[in-house]
Amino acid sequence: MKTRKALAVLLALVMLVVPFALSSYAATAPSIVTNADVIAYTDTEYFNPQGLVINDGTTDVVYTPSNKDFSFVPALNEPLSVETTQINVFYKNVACGTIAITVSHTLTGKLEHIGNGHGEYCLGCGQLFNFARHTIDVPGDADNLTFDHVEFDEKFFKPENIIPNDDGGFFVPQTQTGTCDVCGGKETINIPQSEKFLTIFGNEMTGLETDIVLYFYQIAVSLIQMLIGIK
């Protein structure tokens, strides 16, 4: 009987003490009162806590760079990334809450010549955006299974900005160099069927005659490549 009374008294004390302790903790736990002024960033910037106000449990505390009791994750010296969606705020190493932010890529809006096209790199993460090829593939058969050659994309190259180069050979096609109207980059591609071997027969050949010449031309090229490969 005495044991039961003792347990009952202990239980009553616990029920009285626990709510008081919880309410006391809630009253002293730090929390965010006012978010920072800036919540939208690019990925070359750092979080700026200016304007942040927290309550340390008793009074409001305004963030200042000299107050070393504040800390953040990501840290203030860590560049933000587009994957960052919130800043964790701590005061005296105790979590106060989070601040929701948005981080976007840093794009200049100026396209530059890159490889066989143009695009722009993000200044923050280096990712390539808005890439477009300068040339288009031209089908070489009825089923569009292979490509005969490439041509300049007329969206980027005006005819007056495409200049033929006098560099063709008997079995080597002549090239042409174009300047892109968008990025100013230069591209050089072959002019289809510009080999001098094909011009010795004149321009009055029928379609069948052209096919025959091309057939023998391919045989000749293959033989030359084979001979070059023999040591």
Side-chain angles (χ1 to χ4, degrees):
M1 182 64 69
K2 291 182 179 180
T3 301
R4 289 182 179 180
K5 288 183 178 180
L7 290 175
V9 172
L10 179 61
L11 180 60
L13 289 174
V14 169
M15 293 179 66
L16 289 173
V17 171
V18 169
F20 176 79
L22 291 176
S23 63
S24 176
Y25 174 79
T28 58
S31 60
I32 296 175
V33 176
T34 305
N35 280 345
D37 295 335
V38 181
I39 59 173
Y41 297 87
T42 63
D43 58 358
T44 57
E45 297 180 309
Y46 305 83
F47 176 65
N48 181 4
Q50 186 67 37
L52 174 65
V53 180
I54 64 103
N55 187 284
D56 64 358
T58 56
T59 59
D60 289 348
V61 181
V62 179
Y63 167 82
T64 60
S66 60
N67 190 337
K68 304 305 180 183
D69 289 330
F70 283 93
S71 58
F72 306 90
V73 176
L76 298 185
N77 61 351
E78 182 178 347
L80 298 171
S81 70
V82 292
E83 288 78 22
T84 306
T85 59
Q86 65 181 28
I87 302 294
N88 297 295
V89 181
F90 298 85
Y91 185 73
K92 296 183 177 179
N93 296 323
V94 178
C96 301
T98 60
I99 298 175
I101 65 170
T102 58
V103 184
S104 57
H105 290 285
T106 308
L107 302 180
T108 63
K110 181 180 180 181
L111 298 175
E112 59 178 298
H113 186 203
I114 300 171
N116 62 348
H118 54 240
E120 56 181 323
Y121 289 106
C122 172
L123 299 180
C125 67
Q127 185 176 343
L128 179 61
F129 287 88
N130 304 319
F131 181 79
R133 283 186 60 191
H134 279 158
T135 57
I136 57 176
D137 296 314
V138 179
D141 58 21
D143 296 326
N144 296 337
L145 299 178
T146 61
F147 295 109
D148 182 40
H149 61 279
V150 297
E151 292 181 353
F152 288 116
D153 193 328
E154 60 183 12
K155 296 194 303 290
F156 309 128
F157 293 84
K158 296 178 182 178
E160 59 267 27
N161 291 336
I162 300 174
I163 302 174
N165 303 309
D166 188 18
D167 58 354
F170 196 71
F171 292 114
V172 178
Q174 185 180 358
T175 65
Q176 55 186 345
T177 299
T179 303
C180 176
D181 300 325
V182 176
C183 70
K186 294 183 181 296
E187 297 286 352
T188 298
I189 62 174
N190 292 334
I191 299 176
Q193 300 182 14
S194 61
E195 298 87 342
K196 294 179 180 179
F197 171 83
L198 300 175
T199 63
I200 62 177
F201 298 98
N203 300 320
E204 304 298 328
M205 293 188 299
T206 65
L208 178 59
E209 290 171 338
T210 301
D211 291 341
I212 293 173
V213 171
L214 287 174
Y215 175 73
F216 282 104
Y217 162 71
Q218 291 171 353
I219 293 176
V221 171
S222 299
L223 288 173
I224 292 173
Q225 292 174 342
M226 181 180 66
L227 292 173
I228 292 175
I230 296 176
K231 298 182 179 179

